[in-house]
Amino acid sequence: MDIERKLKSKIRLNFEEALELYNLDLFTLAKYANDIREELYGKKAFFNINRHINPTNICKDVCKFCAFSANRKNPNPYTMSHEEILDEVEKAVLSGAKEVHIVSAHNPECGLDWYIDVFKKIKKSYPTLHVKALTAAEINFLAKEYNLSFEDVIDKILDAGVDSLPGGGAEIFDEKIREYICKGKVSSKDWLKIHELWHKKCKYSNSTMLFGHIESRANRIDHMLRLRDLQDKTGGFNAFIPLVYQRENNYLRVENFLSSVEILKTYAISRLVLDNIPHIKAYWVTSTINLALIALEFGADDLDGTIQKESIQSAAGAKSANGMQFGEFLELISTSGFIPVQRDSLYNEISTYDDNHRDDRKVVL
Ligand code: V47
């Protein structure tokens, strides 16, 4: 059966077929990806009010693509105190945040107890605030530092109140590329293992893919298929987040940068290949808000959130250091022809802002 017939009949694609999708023209891909998106969510575009907190940038690992961790190019090591973290959490809650996203570098000075303690303090003060914290790379780091199993670390952070895991640290699963761009970081196998163990506790997590550096299209498809296989087993991934590589202040030399067409194709292909992951997040930080809004026509249904402060990708050149204002977010989504839906971290809908939805808008002369 040819590939378009398979797409029409929603038959699952194998590796070769998924790779072949890149040879379809952009608008054919958009049509099939958008059909799925519309069937699932109509014109809704999801976002949340959240706050990113990155407690430390001191890192034992040396990932070539990273501009966040303190190093020769970024000589400003910092570690926040618990008081400073709680202060930020309080400000976030007062400004309406429903989620804190806490991700750090791998700092041997911040022990497991340091994390456990701060999660407990946050939960004690704000029991209903969703704590999305610790990537699989951080869990791997903590397990190795303390000679603990992944499950031991998972049990401890669950007990301390962590609600879900962010998708970071996945980068690209292909072992050769991984060895070059982030040698020594959690292996692909262990990244998947940690998420599997987390899902077995009946908890949700996200998944990411860093693309647009030295990986090939085949590496991207392989990455998506490894996620699809795990999702078949557990069903625990809420979202897939393709992260567009940001090029400044890091040690990865990349000759050719991706075109917007290639980025949009990758969003659309992820919607088509990951038939078992409910949400495709166009993380506006790495795609730019303009392309993220366009990605809503290419299979994506979620834009992440207002973030308030962003330190990882902005260190590498993204224009995201101060997040996005809530009102601006609403306006941009609705003037793009979508219905802004504020969601919680698990995609329960909190508020729908459809007053300005273009199709319903009457022109008053
Ligand atoms: O794993 C690091 C990426 C990730 C660069 O789960 C870079 O909801 C682009 O995972 N260019 C951390 N990306 C961020 C992350 C994330 C973000 C938003 C939402 C969620 C979620 C997760 O940032 C890392 C790495 O892949 N990253 N350096 C760079 N130069």
Side-chain angles (χ1 to χ4, degrees):
M1 200 188 286
D2 82 8
I3 205 161
E4 283 208 47
R5 263 218 256 142
K6 278 198 162 180
L7 287 174
K8 270 185 203 132
S9 322
K10 300 210 171 56
I11 295 174
R12 193 172 250 205
L13 304 177
N14 63 27
F15 176 84
E16 286 75 23
E17 292 160 342
L19 188 55
E20 181 65 25
L21 290 176
Y22 273 106
N23 297 328
L24 293 180
D25 77 88
L26 181 64
F27 296 109
T28 306
L29 274 177
K31 185 200 158 343
Y32 289 114
N34 190 52
D35 281 353
I36 296 176
R37 179 233 195 279
E38 291 224 329
E39 204 173 283
L40 290 168
Y41 311 113
K43 281 284 178 194
K44 290 176 181 174
F46 298 101
F47 71 97
N48 68 352
I49 302 182
N50 61 348
R51 171 69 151 92
H52 282 207
I53 300 176
N54 306 114
T56 177
N57 70 346
I58 298 170
C59 200
K60 202 177 161 187
D61 283 321
V62 197
C63 297
K64 287 197 170 75
F65 54 78
C66 183
F68 166 65
S69 69
N71 60 43
R72 264 187 295 127
K73 290 195 181 187
N74 178 23
N76 63 338
Y78 73 82
T79 301
M80 292 166 77
S81 66
H82 282 187
E83 289 63 39
E84 286 169 319
I85 295 172
L86 285 159
D87 226 42
E88 295 301 334
V89 174
E90 184 184 6
K91 278 193 244 154
V93 171
L94 289 175
S95 69
K98 302 278 184 260
E99 168 193 292
V100 279
H101 166 120
I102 303 177
V103 167
S104 285
H106 308 158
N107 182 351
E109 300 293 310
C110 298
L112 184 54
D113 288 345
W114 188 89
Y115 280 103
I116 299 298
D117 233 43
V118 78
F119 296 143
K120 283 190 173 162
K121 285 176 182 160
I122 294 171
K123 273 296 186 187
K124 187 161 179 237
S125 303
Y126 310 101
T128 60
L129 181 69
H130 186 102
V131 176
K132 169 153 65 87
L134 295 185
T135 66
E138 290 174 274
I139 292 177
N140 171 73
F141 164 72
L142 291 168
K144 299 269 146 60
E145 284 285 301
Y146 291 89
N147 217 3
L148 292 170
S149 69
F150 297 145
E151 196 162 5
D152 289 338
V153 179
I154 284 173
D155 285 339
K156 284 179 192 293
I157 65 172
L158 271 175
D159 182 57
V162 172
D163 295 289
S164 68
L165 298 187
E171 322 313 355
I172 272 283
F173 290 145
D174 178 87
E175 280 71 14
K176 266 206 194 126
I177 303 283
R178 203 173 180 81
E179 169 84 4
Y180 183 75
I181 65 172
C182 54
K183 189 175 174 177
K185 197 173 190 165
V186 62
S187 68
S188 308
K189 212 168 125 253
D190 285 344
W191 190 96
L192 290 161
K193 180 89 214 148
I194 289 165
H195 282 263
E196 182 173 359
L197 288 166
W198 182 257
H199 297 166
K200 278 197 179 139
K201 305 279 178 189
C202 299
K203 291 286 179 180
Y204 288 99
S205 66
N206 286 336
S207 56
T208 58
M209 173 180 77
L210 182 66
F211 74 115
H213 43 90
I214 59 163
E215 89 294 349
S216 64
R217 287 173 168 178
N219 296 146
R220 290 178 215 150
I221 299 296
D222 164 63
H223 188 98
M224 291 178 205
L225 293 187
R226 293 197 210 189
L227 291 171
R228 189 174 77 180
D229 286 348
L230 177 55
Q231 182 75 341
D232 276 344
K233 272 167 84 177
T234 66
F237 289 121
N238 265 330
F240 175 66
I241 313 164
L243 298 168
V244 183
Y245 167 67
Q246 309 293 301
R247 65 189 80 162
E248 288 175 21
N249 307 318
N250 68 46
Y251 292 94
L252 195 57
R253 295 275 72 74
V254 174
E255 300 285 315
N256 299 310
F257 298 111
L258 290 187
S259 65
S260 298
V261 169
E262 188 74 5
I263 294 171
L264 290 172
K265 279 190 170 184
T266 304
Y267 281 118
I269 290 170
S270 66
R271 179 63 290 165
L272 295 169
V273 170
L274 296 171
D275 52 9
N276 54 2
I277 297 189
H279 298 280
I280 302 295
K281 191 188 278 191
Y283 184 48
W284 63 267
V285 164
T286 68
S287 60
T288 73
I289 185 66
N290 292 343
L291 202 62
L293 292 165
I294 297 169
L296 296 175
E297 311 270 2
F298 289 75
D301 60 277
D302 185 57
L303 296 172
D304 198 82
T306 47
I307 297 173
Q308 298 183 0
K309 186 172 190 298
E310 197 288 311
S311 308
I312 297 181
Q313 277 94 6
S314 58
K319 305 284 173 279
S320 49
N322 300 314
M324 174 85 70
Q325 291 301 314
F326 176 68
E328 197 184 355
F329 223 45
L330 287 189
E331 180 66 16
L332 285 168
I333 295 171
S334 53
T335 53
S336 304
F338 288 87
I339 303 168
V341 177
Q342 187 194 339
R343 59 161 175 86
D344 70 11
S345 306
L346 303 178
Y347 289 87
N348 298 302
E349 297 183 15
I350 297 175
S351 304
T352 300
Y353 301 86
D354 59 357
D355 299 351
N356 277 337
H357 185 229
R358 280 237 153 141
D359 296 342
D360 306 335
R361 206 187 278 166
K362 300 273 182 306
V363 177
V364 182
L365 295 173

